[in-house]
Structures are given as structure tokens and as C-alpha cells.
């Protein structure tokens, strides 16, 4: 099994004059509010354990005060933990000297901020090239690289503008290009899109997904928005009051919330839009591999239901019914199975959102065949599985105004 790129274990952060003095109380499970009232110390993070894999978008989410922004600042040691270990490719970040830490920040991790963090007196291209300047890269080379990234994020022609001349979405594209320009392996994005209008925010999410398909960076993305987390994240960690309450894939979070707090997050999510066919499909129950009608009828006798999926060496072919085969056999039972015998049942992609295939699923009397790009039968989408997505999941509802 491949080792994770980043490992965080036993991470605690207490803010105050003597954080070590309250660690025992934190570990004994005293509440954040009680410790603050008694000692004046604030518990920022409590026993965080995470493993982040190379090339994934790992989303850390939670409400205001949950500790998510505190956590992301530990990755590059903008904040030092009170206790715990942070390993990046096996290197203990806590043991780095000041000069090694500076090199680590310059070459290993880049950061994209919520409020863009651009230098107002520098042109767009100089802002993008800033990280390379810090690395000591020669001017013509860094400007060439910066211009390439500006073109990548759709800002060719804006090189000599200043940040104040750009819209919020354009400024955030500059921030993204600047972070990518250093070719750092790890990208830290702290509420990077939350200051943008909804339409621009959606466009930036699209662009990040598109870039990630090409670049395969390791991206740690902070958000308070579950829809954004579900859309971007390969895996999601949810924080509450500095504690990790659940981590898993978007599907796991949606379908199996760990507690009432997570359930309250997911209850209003459009599951049909967030979940893919692959998430809820079942293995295809019945296959027929025959070439002739007679052989297919013989195979059908061993099948409980009155239809099956016809699969040959060339892949999925169509849906056959017992009735259809018997009717065809009246003409010539030795004849090879041909297109006219198949039922009119649409094949669907495992990557499709449930929302996209909802009408086909409801209107079909058969479970829909799930077929991949190579034509292989991957599963079957049953109407009952789709219905379960819409089942009432509101028990244990809590207010999300709590922090």
C-alpha cells in the first residue's frame, strides 16, 4: 500500500499564555467552553489524526470556529502545534530549522488565500512570478513561466494590469496562477472561493477540477460549504469545535453521516445531484452470454427474473426478456441474437449523477444497465436504490447556527 504524502497524528493546538498547563484537562475531555472560562486558554484543535494521499483533493470543512483554518496553517507551520506530529513525505516538519522551513515553504507548498493576497503595487504578471522571484529564478525565466500560467487560468492579455483593475474572480485566478507557478507539489487553499459571487465561484470550482485532471497536485482545500466540499473533494474531513467528527469520501459522508452534527450538514443536500450512479448501483444480477436464441432461452431458465443483460466478448449488448426470446424462437430458435430482440432500455454511465438518469430510472420497468466507456457492464441501477436516496433522513436534526 502506498504511503500517504502527509500524515498528521495526535495534533493539539491550545491558544493562551501557558498552553501546556491545560493539556491534561483537554485530554481528559473537558469542554472547550469550560477550559476557556477557567483558564483563559482556547482549545483550537484536539487530537487530529489525518492521512492525505498524493494527488488527491482533501477537503477540510466545518463552521466558523471549528478549527479548519487553524489546521491548514499547521501544514506549513504558520502555526506550531502545542503537541503532535506533522510528516510530509516522511519528513517531520516540526524538526525543520528556520532555513529548511523557508525552503520547504518556497518549494513544497503554495497557498491560495480567501482575500486573494495580491500585491497591489505589482502588475498581474509580477504577482504571479513573485514566488519564483523569492526562489531566486532569473527574471526572464520567471516571467515566461508566469505568462504560461496566466494563459492556463484564462488571463492571457491581463499581464500588465494591476489587481485593482480586475474583478474578484480574475484576482482569484491570479492567486491560483501564483500558487501553481512555483510548481509546488502541495497546494493549500483556505476558503479560496468563498469571497466570490456564486456564479464566479462555480466557474472557479470548474477550473480547479479541470486543472487537477492535468496536474494531479495534492490539494488541501478549506471550506464551510458542503456543496463545494462534495463537488471538489476526493475525501472530506469535518471538524466541530476543533475535533474531527468524520472523514471519508463524499459518498460515505452523504450516505452514512457519523452523528447528528454531520447529518444536519447533509440533510439539505441535493443527493441526486451529488451522488453518482456508481455510488448506488448493484452488481448486475443476471447475464446471458449465449450467441443464439435457443442458447439464450436455456440460460434464461436458470434466472429468477424474466429478463437479463446480454454480454458477449465485445461487451454489453442489450436487455433480453424471456418473452422476447420465446417470440423470436417461433421464427427460428437457432438464429443468432440480433438487435430487434433487445428491449429499449437506455445504458447509463457509472459517472453520471443520479439526477441525470432519474427519469429513465423511474420510467423503465427494468433496472438500468451501467456501462463504462469501453462498453463493459459494470452494474445495474435499480429503482429501489434510487428511491432510497430520497428517503427521509431528517431524524436527529440540529441547528447549523451552532459553532
Amino acid at each position: 500500500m502506498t504511503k500517504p504524502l502527509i500524515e498528521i497524528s495526535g495534533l493539539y493546538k491550545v491558544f493562551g499564555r501557558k498552553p501546556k498547563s491545560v493539556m491534561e484537562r483537554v485530554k481528559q475531555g473537558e469542554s472547550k467552553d469550560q477550559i476557556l472560562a477557567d483558564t483563559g486558554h482556547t482549545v483550537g484543535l484536539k487530537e487530529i489524526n489525518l492521512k492525505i494521499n498524493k494527488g488527491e483533493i482533501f477537503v477540510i470543512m466545518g463552521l466558523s470556529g471549528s478549527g479548519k483554518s487553524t489546521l491548514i496553517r499547521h501544514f506549513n507551520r504558520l502555526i506550531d502545534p502545542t503537541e503532535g506530529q506533522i510528516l510530509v513525505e516522511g519528513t517531520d516538519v516540526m524538526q525543520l530549522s528556520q532555513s529548511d522551513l523557508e525552503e520547504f515553504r518556497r518549494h513544497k507548498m503554495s497557498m491560495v488565500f480567501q482575500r486573494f493576497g495580491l500585491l497591489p503595487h505589482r502588475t498581474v504578471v509580477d504577482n504571479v512570478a513573485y514566488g519564483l522571484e523569492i526562489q531566486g529564478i532569473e527574471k526572464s525565466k520567471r516571467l515566461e513561466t508566469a505568462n504560461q500560467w496566466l494563459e492556463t487560468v484564462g488571463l492571457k492579455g491581463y499581464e500588465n494590469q494591476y489587481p485593482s483593475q480586475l474583478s474578484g474572480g480574475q484576482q482569484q485566478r491570479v492567486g491560483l496562477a501564483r500558487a501553481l507557478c512555483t510548481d509546488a507539489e502541495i497546494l493549500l487553499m483556505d476558503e479560496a472561493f468563498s469571497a466570490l459571487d456564486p456564479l464566479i465561484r462555480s466557474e472557479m470550482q470548474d477550473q480547479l477540477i479541470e486543472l487537477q485532471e492535468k496536474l494531479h497536485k495534492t490539494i488541501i482545500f478549506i471550506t464551510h460549504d458542503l456543496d463545494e466540499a462534495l463537488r471538489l473533494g476526493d475525501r472530506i474531513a469535518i471538524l466541530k469545535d476543533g475535533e474531527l467528527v468524520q472523514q471519508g469520501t463524499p459518498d460515505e459522508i452523504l450516505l452514512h453521516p457519523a452523528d447528528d452534527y454531520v447529518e444536519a450538514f447533509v440533510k439539505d443536500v441535493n443527493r441526486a445531484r451529488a451522488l453518482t450512479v456508481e455510488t448506488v448501483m448493484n452488481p448486475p444480477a443476471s447475464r446471458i452470454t449465449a450467441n443464439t436464441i435457443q442458447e439464450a432461452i436455456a440460460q434464461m431458465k436458470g434466472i429468477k427474473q424474466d429478463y437479463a443483460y446480454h454480454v458477449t466478448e465485445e461487451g454489453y449488448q442489450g436487455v433480453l426478456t424471456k418473452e422476447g426470446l420465446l417470440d423470436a424462437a417461433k421464427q427460428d430458435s437457432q438464429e443468432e441474437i440480433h438487435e430487434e430482440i433487445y428491449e429499449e432500455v437506455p445504458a447509463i454511465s457509472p459517472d453520471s449523477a443520479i439526477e441525470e438518469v432519474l427519469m429513465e430510472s423511474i420510467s423503465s420497468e427494468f433496472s438500468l444497465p451501467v456501462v463504462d466507456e469501453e462498453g463493459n457492464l459494470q452494474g445495474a441501477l435499480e429503482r429501489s436504490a434510487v428511491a432510497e436516496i430520497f428517503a427521509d433522513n431528517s431524524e436527529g436534526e440540529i441547528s447549523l447556527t451552532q459553532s
Side-chain angles (χ1 to χ4, degrees):
M1 188 175 176
T2 308
K3 277 183 69 71
L5 182 70
I6 300 170
E7 293 184 75
I8 291 181
S9 53
L11 191 73
Y12 290 81
K13 180 61 183 178
V14 176
F15 295 97
R17 295 183 65 183
K18 296 181 179 179
K20 295 282 188 185
S21 67
V22 301
M23 281 298 296
E24 190 61 36
R25 297 180 63 165
V26 174
K27 291 183 177 181
Q28 286 176 356
E30 287 193 37
S31 74
K32 184 176 179 177
D33 290 343
Q34 188 63 53
I35 291 171
L36 178 62
D38 290 351
T39 70
H41 288 76
T42 300
V43 180
L45 297 170
K46 180 180 176 183
E47 199 179 0
I48 303 295
N49 297 287
L50 290 175
K51 292 182 180 180
I52 298 172
N53 299 318
K54 184 181 177 70
E56 74 174 335
I57 299 181
F58 190 92
V59 176
I60 300 169
M61 70 162 297
L63 301 176
S64 178
S66 63
K68 56 190 187 297
S69 290
T70 299
L71 178 55
I72 199 173
R73 282 163 170 73
H74 279 77
F75 286 90
N76 57 0
R77 272 187 65 190
L78 292 178
I79 295 176
D80 280 345
T82 305
E83 193 174 297
Q85 188 179 56
I86 304 164
L87 299 178
V88 178
E89 282 191 318
T91 298
D92 189 344
V93 178
M94 297 308 301
Q95 302 305 314
L96 294 178
S97 65
Q98 188 58 41
S99 61
D100 288 340
L101 181 58
E102 288 172 5
E103 283 297 296
F104 175 82
R105 289 171 179 165
R106 286 173 184 168
H107 297 279
K108 198 71 178 174
M109 287 186 180
S110 288
M111 199 159 190
V112 184
F113 299 94
Q114 178 180 357
R115 294 290 173 182
F116 320 137
L118 303 180
L119 301 168
H121 59 285
R122 286 180 174 245
T123 62
V124 164
V125 71
D126 283 335
N127 265 282
V128 174
Y130 182 68
L132 296 179
E133 183 181 336
I134 296 297
Q135 290 180 8
I137 304 298
E138 187 264 326
K139 184 173 183 179
S140 63
K141 177 61 178 173
R142 68 178 185 252
L143 291 179
E144 179 187 349
T145 305
N147 277 306
Q148 288 171 356
W149 281 110
L150 281 171
E151 185 171 358
T152 300
V153 300
L155 286 178
K156 186 178 181 180
Y158 290 85
E159 298 86 354
N160 298 316
Q161 303 281 329
Y162 286 86
S164 61
Q165 296 173 284
L166 304 182
S167 69
Q170 289 170 327
Q171 289 183 50
Q172 193 56 288
R173 288 174 197 272
V174 175
L176 183 57
R178 180 180 60 188
L180 292 167
C181 193
T182 62
D183 200 31
E185 184 178 357
I186 301 164
L187 204 59
L188 306 177
M189 303 185 73
D190 187 11
E191 295 273 14
F193 303 153
S194 63
L196 303 175
D197 293 336
L199 182 60
I200 304 300
R201 184 173 189 169
S202 181
E203 289 175 1
M204 289 299 297
Q205 291 166 0
D206 289 340
Q207 178 152 58
L208 184 63
I209 291 167
E210 187 180 321
L211 284 169
Q212 178 65 353
E213 287 173 355
K214 299 174 188 173
L215 302 175
H216 307 293
K217 298 286 186 183
T218 302
I219 300 174
I220 299 157
F221 193 99
I222 299 292
T223 183
H224 62 270
D225 186 310
L226 182 61
D227 287 324
E228 185 167 67
L230 293 170
R231 188 175 187 198
L232 296 177
D234 295 306
R235 288 190 299 138
I236 300 169
I238 299 179
L239 298 183
K240 178 191 178 189
D241 294 337
E243 295 187 59
L244 182 62
V245 293
Q246 186 171 3
Q247 61 177 309
T249 65
D251 301 338
E252 289 166 348
I253 300 287
L254 266 182
L255 295 174
H256 308 291
D259 59 15
D260 289 349
Y261 180 75
V262 180
E263 193 168 297
F265 264 115
V266 305
K267 71 180 179 65
D268 292 327
V269 170
N270 183 341
R271 295 185 177 196
R273 184 174 298 164
L275 294 172
T276 62
V277 169
E278 187 175 26
T279 310
V280 295
M281 71 182 186
N282 293 317
S286 307
R287 297 174 189 244
I288 283 179
T289 58
N291 292 317
T292 68
I293 293 170
Q294 191 63 44
E295 290 169 344
I297 290 171
Q299 288 185 14
M300 187 70 82
K301 287 177 181 176
I303 294 171
K304 290 181 180 179
Q305 59 195 36
D306 59 1
Y307 73 95
Y309 304 108
H310 186 212
V311 179
T312 67
E313 290 180 357
E314 285 75 42
Y316 170 77
Q317 302 301 314
V319 172
L320 294 170
T321 65
K322 190 178 295 183
E323 184 180 0
L325 286 168
L326 291 173
D327 286 345
K330 293 173 185 176
Q331 309 297 322
D332 183 356
S333 65
Q334 299 306 315
E335 186 181 2
E336 287 196 353
I337 297 168
H338 51 84
E339 195 170 319
E340 287 77 12
I341 300 176
Y342 298 126
E343 297 294 318
E344 289 188 17
V345 181
I348 58 175
S349 166
D351 298 325
S352 295
I354 294 297
E355 184 178 61
E356 296 169 11
V357 301
L358 191 56
M359 293 311 298
E360 289 94 334
S361 173
I362 292 171
S363 59
S364 176
E365 58 182 298
F366 308 104
S367 296
L368 300 183
V370 182
V371 180
D372 65 18
E373 290 179 354
E374 285 75 42
N376 301 311
L377 182 66
Q378 297 292 325
L381 182 65
E382 297 177 3
R383 200 182 314 180
S384 59
V386 175
E388 283 180 22
I389 293 171
F390 298 97
D392 183 20
N393 195 32
S394 61
E395 263 185 54
E397 199 170 301
I398 63 171
S399 169
L400 287 182
T401 58
Q402 298 170 359
S403 62

